[in-house]
Amino acid sequence: MSFDWGIIIANWKFLILQGLMGFGAFGGGTLRLAIPALVLGFILGVIVGLCRLAHRPWIHYPAVLYVEFFRGVPLVMVIFWFWFLIPQMTGQRLPEYTVALTAFVVFEAAYLGEIVRAGIQSVPRGQVEAATAGGLSYRQMMVHVILPQAIRNMIPSLVTQFIVLFKDTSLASIIGMMDLTKAAQTVSQREIRPFEMYLFIAVVYWIFTYSMSRFSQWLEVKMSPERAPTRRAALRAATAEAPA
Amino acid sequence: MIQFRGVNKWFGPLHVLKDIDLHIAAGEVVVVCGPSGSGKSTLIRCINKLEPIQKGEIVVDGMPLNDPATDITKLRAEVGMVFQQFNLYPHMTARQNITLAPVKVRKQSREEAERLARDLLAKVGIPEKADDYPAQLSGGQQQRVAIARALAMQPKIMLFDEPTSALDPEMINEVLDVMVNLAREGMTMIVVTHEMGFAKKVSHRIIFMDEGRIVEEGAPHAFFANPKEERTRTFLSKILVH
Ligand SMILES: Nc1ncnc2c1ncn2[C@@H]1O[C@H](COP(=O)(O)OP(=O)(O)OP(=O)(O)O)[C@@H](O)[C@H]1O
Ligand SMILES: [Mg+2]
């Protein structure tokens, strides 16, 4: 078996500019899909999470239904639905990109909503009481006391979910959206070089997801100034070592 | 300053406050004691409406709590609260903990709030801890920051819910000293505690609760010297051993 790595260089514009970034005649693009999907999915997720925590049943139960429904079905199926359903309902085809983005936002918001809910619930009840006793309004309490602590606790799960989302964007290729996977598939079929192509995109996906996980670790430390080692902790360690 | 009239409260089917009648004058220091689950925390949490009541009436500094026209934010600004578990905001320094409510609720200028925070930290004896995070402070220091945080709203009433129960023994006195000074300055205080030394030293009145009722109340020396109720005697014999 012989390899031809030149195939990557020869097709880099198509793979990177078109496939990864979405600049080109085909639209699509892995990053052009993943980034807005992540941002919009998170915003919708915060809304879903807050609704799940609401006490009013007509806000609470639709959010529960939403989460349980979309967590219970495969993503591929959701993508197919939007792909076949929207033309049937509206009478016109939407671009693959629009369909994929909609499907991802709707699907991911269910998972992200659960992460947001768990993050808010992870903040001890005493924090709500202290803020309430201090006279803060619900909004002030959320903004200054609860969400800063909640988001910090959410970072690891959020980033894990963002990584899953990033990799899942490769599923958009099944409805023909030109992302990194689809671009590699196209090149590989033309040149009959599947090994080189699929190894190459694996590396590209990995570089992005690994950077995300490193960023998450950095952010966790950065957002927890009070968890930095302290004089007192150092002192305590020193006294513990000293003979009694 | 504080009036309870025929107050009853339920948690679902559980009747936790039963026909409470209680009047507390301005400047009075009242200690509340009683066995676990007797409703002590619930009683003081009703005063700043952390808990709603189902029957009866509470009036705090002329503000009836069940009147929808009462401004709850104003009420909470007048009532400071200190918790057993401190409940400091862990992502903020001591100074930020203290200035948050004055700036956001009282709309004080930042300079004014910072000045007040500095004064209050000096008052509770830890002026050098302004920029430390709660995790960097000992339990006693955290509780003193929590007291400073409550005082920053310039309250007329201070509520304490077992402020020293979560502390190591050697830190209890540094917190009690701050409370003694506060009592001597004439603050109206309601203190849930089993620190009977504190009760004898500064309180004007002791209330003993059991099963949601006020069983007995009186001036500290009479309360300790000859409790009238059998239940009070049993309780006192248990806690005074320690
Ligand atoms: N949020 C709540 N929901 C349901 N029941 C509650 C709640 N808070 C307190 N209770 C119950 O109400 C009763 C009185 O509780 P409370 O906390 O006022 O007692 P306490 O005298 O402060 O006890 P402790 O000394 O243990 O702090 C207890 O039986 C308790 O289990
Ligand atoms: Mg209690």
Side-chain angles (χ1 to χ4, degrees):
Chain A
M1 200 153 117
S2 72
F3 301 117
D4 175 12
W5 300 106
I7 198 89
I8 295 163
I9 314 287
N11 290 287
W12 80 272
K13 262 193 174 161
F14 184 63
L15 289 167
I16 298 298
L17 291 184
Q18 170 65 68
L20 181 65
M21 311 217 277
F23 300 134
F26 296 93
T30 294
L31 290 179
R32 227 179 102 234
L33 174 62
I35 293 168
L38 195 144
V39 173
L40 297 175
F42 181 63
I43 294 171
L44 187 58
V46 171
I47 295 169
V48 170
L50 288 174
C51 288
R52 264 210 78 165
L53 287 171
H55 293 295
R56 301 199 185 100
W58 68 90
I59 302 178
H60 174 79
Y61 285 108
V64 173
L65 201 70
Y66 181 92
V67 168
E68 293 304 338
F69 181 78
F70 281 104
R71 282 204 310 182
V73 295
L75 175 56
V76 187
M77 216 178 90
V78 177
I79 296 172
F80 278 142
W81 277 343
F82 281 98
W83 182 236
F84 293 114
L85 210 68
I86 294 175
Q88 282 214 339
M89 287 191 335
T90 62
Q92 59 178 0
R93 278 175 89 89
L94 288 176
E96 295 87 352
Y97 175 77
T98 314
V99 172
L101 183 60
T102 313
F104 276 103
V105 169
V106 166
F107 185 80
E108 291 299 325
Y111 284 88
L112 294 168
E114 278 301 278
I115 293 172
V116 170
R117 179 186 66 81
I120 291 175
Q121 284 181 331
S122 73
V123 178
R125 173 114 204 99
Q127 295 290 306
V128 177
E129 294 182 351
T132 309
L136 272 68
S137 66
Y138 175 82
R139 217 188 65 83
Q140 289 170 330
M141 174 175 82
M142 274 295 162
V143 171
H144 299 289
V145 177
I146 306 303
L147 287 178
Q149 297 181 59
I151 289 175
R152 205 172 64 182
N153 294 347
M154 282 179 225
I155 290 173
S157 333
L158 272 185
V159 174
T160 302
Q161 192 58 38
F162 287 160
I163 288 173
V164 170
L165 165 66
F166 183 77
K167 294 192 294 182
D168 280 353
T169 56
S170 61
L171 287 174
S173 62
I174 59 172
I175 55 168
M177 199 196 85
M178 188 55 80
D179 71 334
L180 187 58
T181 303
K182 180 82 183 165
Q185 198 183 345
T186 310
V187 174
S188 133
Q189 275 166 5
R190 194 179 57 222
E191 316 267 355
I192 332 269
R193 285 286 171 194
F195 181 81
E196 290 87 339
M197 276 300 115
Y198 289 119
L199 185 67
F200 170 68
I201 66 167
V203 170
V204 175
Y205 279 113
W206 184 84
I207 289 171
F208 276 92
T209 54
Y210 184 69
S211 311
M212 283 160 87
S213 93
R214 289 311 297 258
F215 175 70
S216 141
Q217 286 163 17
W218 173 82
L219 198 63
E220 256 185 281
V221 173
K222 171 115 176 120
M223 284 186 73
S224 315
E226 79 283 4
R227 286 181 206 164
T230 66
R231 269 171 294 122
R232 247 178 57 77
L235 198 70
R236 206 187 292 138
T239 36
E241 278 162 29
Chain B
M1 190 59 117
I2 304 168
Q3 284 96 35
F4 281 70
R5 293 194 201 98
V7 170
N8 282 271
K9 168 162 186 70
W10 287 262
F11 282 117
L14 192 66
H15 197 177
V16 283
L17 292 181
K18 300 170 187 163
D19 304 318
I20 302 286
D21 284 295
L22 180 63
H23 293 246
I24 293 170
E28 207 179 349
V29 177
V30 176
V31 162
V32 181
C33 63
S36 183
S38 56
K40 309 179 294 292
S41 300
T42 309
L43 178 83
I44 67 167
R45 291 159 59 88
C46 290
I47 296 171
N48 60 358
K49 226 174 174 183
L50 276 186
E51 298 289 357
I53 58 170
Q54 282 79 38
K55 197 164 152 234
E57 189 185 26
I58 302 178
V59 180
V60 177
D61 194 28
M63 293 180 277
L65 297 199
N66 3 10
D67 185 346
T70 295
D71 181 354
I72 292 296
T73 305
K74 184 165 176 288
L75 164 85
R76 287 180 176 149
E78 287 192 11
V79 182
M81 188 161 204
V82 175
F83 303 87
Q84 181 174 358
Q85 301 297 339
F86 328 135
N87 297 353
L88 291 177
Y89 309 131
H91 58 302
M92 296 184 190
T93 63
R95 188 213 316 273
Q96 291 167 334
N97 265 276
I98 297 171
T99 55
L100 179 67
V103 170
K104 297 297 170 196
V105 182
R106 277 214 190 275
K107 311 291 178 203
Q108 268 185 10
S109 73
R110 188 150 289 285
E111 300 81 66
E112 211 180 329
E114 302 261 324
R115 196 167 337 111
L116 181 64
R118 202 164 338 116
D119 294 348
L120 286 170
L121 283 171
K123 186 184 168 119
V124 299
I126 39 173
E128 73 285 4
K129 300 295 182 192
D131 295 314
D132 284 20
Y133 287 93
Q136 296 167 295
L137 301 173
S138 73
Q141 291 168 338
Q142 287 189 54
Q143 193 60 300
R144 287 186 282 162
V145 172
I147 294 174
R149 175 176 70 178
L151 291 174
M153 292 296 276
Q154 290 155 327
K156 296 183 179 169
I157 299 165
M158 284 286 283
L159 309 174
F160 293 84
D161 193 356
E162 307 206 33
T164 58
S165 311
L167 296 177
D168 293 340
E170 75 269 20
M171 292 171 187
I172 291 177
N173 279 328
E174 65 190 48
V175 171
L176 287 181
D177 287 346
V178 171
M179 292 168 60
V180 166
N181 287 336
L182 209 53
R184 294 201 169 133
E185 285 168 16
M187 176 65 79
T188 308
M189 291 165 63
I190 306 182
V191 185
V192 177
T193 187
H194 293 154
E195 290 294 332
M196 290 303 141
F198 172 82
K200 282 180 192 156
K201 201 158 160 189
V202 290
S203 80
H204 303 105
R205 189 155 39 132
I206 299 185
I207 289 174
F208 173 68
M209 289 186 72
D210 194 14
E211 294 178 355
R213 281 180 206 283
I214 295 181
V215 175
E216 183 163 358
E217 57 181 305
H221 74 271
F223 181 85
F224 289 116
N226 42 17
K228 292 191 276 295
E229 300 285 331
E230 181 55 40
R231 273 190 285 179
T232 317
R233 257 173 266 151
T234 322
F235 178 74
L236 284 178
S237 70
K238 274 186 209 145
I239 61 163
L240 291 180
V241 173
H242 305 304

